[in-house]
Structure formats: structure tokens, C-alpha cells
Amino acid sequence: MGTYTADIDVRFRDIDAMGHVNNAVYATYIEQARTRFFRDVLDLDISGASTVLASLSIDFRRPVELDDDAVAVSVEIADLGRSSATMTHEIRIGDAVAAEAEATLVAVDPETGEPTPIPEAHREAMASYRDR
């Protein structure tokens, strides 16, 4: 299975009063990796893709701290439906898994907001990457 990985800096503003990355920031790290995946794998600016995030679940394994400097966020295509794509993610610090996540994106018609088939070129690119 093809795995795309994006390295993302841990910023001071990501840290909460407990001294570690706030839980909501993990979703931002995942979003940043997904944006880079769209750019690098699909050759598509995510703002030009008519997709919505339908679900996101995150399981936290260990805190990320400012001293960690950066995290590596992986993106894998776990399931490719007619109008949806489910991606799995790991947020890692070196060899340690800080969090595991699953996100489902749905292609929508920009005029109606209703689900629509994933464009064939995008489907082919995601399937090809997944099957590497």
C-alpha cells in the first residue's frame, strides 16, 4: 500500500497549558498532510476539489511536545468508494506513534451540495497510489 508522508513543524502556538500539542491541532496536522497529498499525488489544489470532510476520528497514543520539533503525518487510502475516500493517518515522532486517525472525504456537487462521483482522474490517481 502506498504511503504518503508529510513532515510538519510543531509550532509554539500549537502548545496548550499542559505543555503539549493541543488535541485539536492534531486535526490540523492531518489536514496539512491531506492538502499536500492532494497537491503532490493528485496534482490538485485542494481548494479546487469539491470535497467535504464527512468524518474524522483520532486515537491519541502519546503527547507531542514543543521539543519534538516536527511530526511526520502519513496518508494512506484505505477505501475508495463511488463518492467517498477513506484515508488512514499516523502522526509519528521518530519511531513513536503519537496518534492514529481515520478521515472520510466525500465529493460533492458544488451547486447542490449533494454527493457526486469522485472525478475519474482523481480516482485513478488515488487507486494507483494506494496499490503501489
Side-chain angles (χ1 to χ4, degrees):
M1 179 177 291
T3 302
Y4 178 86
T5 303
D7 293 326
I8 300 170
D9 291 336
V10 175
R11 303 165 300 184
F12 177 75
R13 69 180 300 259
D14 298 344
I15 307 302
D16 64 15
M18 300 294 293
H20 58 271
V21 170
N22 183 274
N23 62 72
V25 175
Y26 287 67
T28 301
Y29 292 161
I30 293 163
E31 180 181 56
Q32 287 177 282
R34 186 171 55 245
T35 300
R36 293 178 190 177
F37 174 86
F38 268 68
R39 179 194 66 205
D40 296 344
V41 174
L42 303 181
D43 195 27
L44 179 68
D45 181 337
I46 199 167
S47 66
S50 294
T51 61
V52 295
L53 182 63
S55 69
L56 174 64
S57 65
I58 304 172
D59 294 323
F60 301 97
R61 304 289 181 227
R62 78 174 281 283
V64 176
E65 298 171 339
L66 186 59
D67 290 345
D68 291 321
D69 293 324
V71 293
V73 183
S74 66
V75 179
E76 291 183 355
I77 302 296
D79 186 49
L80 196 52
R82 183 184 83 76
S83 60
S84 66
T86 300
M87 300 175 168
T88 57
H89 307 276
E90 278 189 347
I91 297 175
R92 300 180 76 82
I93 302 158
D95 292 335
V97 175
E100 296 173 306
E102 183 176 278
T104 300
L105 300 175
V106 176
V108 295
D109 182 306
E111 292 181 21
T112 67
E114 295 295 318
T116 190
I118 297 169
E120 195 56 37
H122 302 162
R123 173 186 299 289
E124 288 175 9
M126 285 189 280
S128 175
Y129 199 85
R130 177 194 62 199
D131 297 339
R132 297 193 318 169

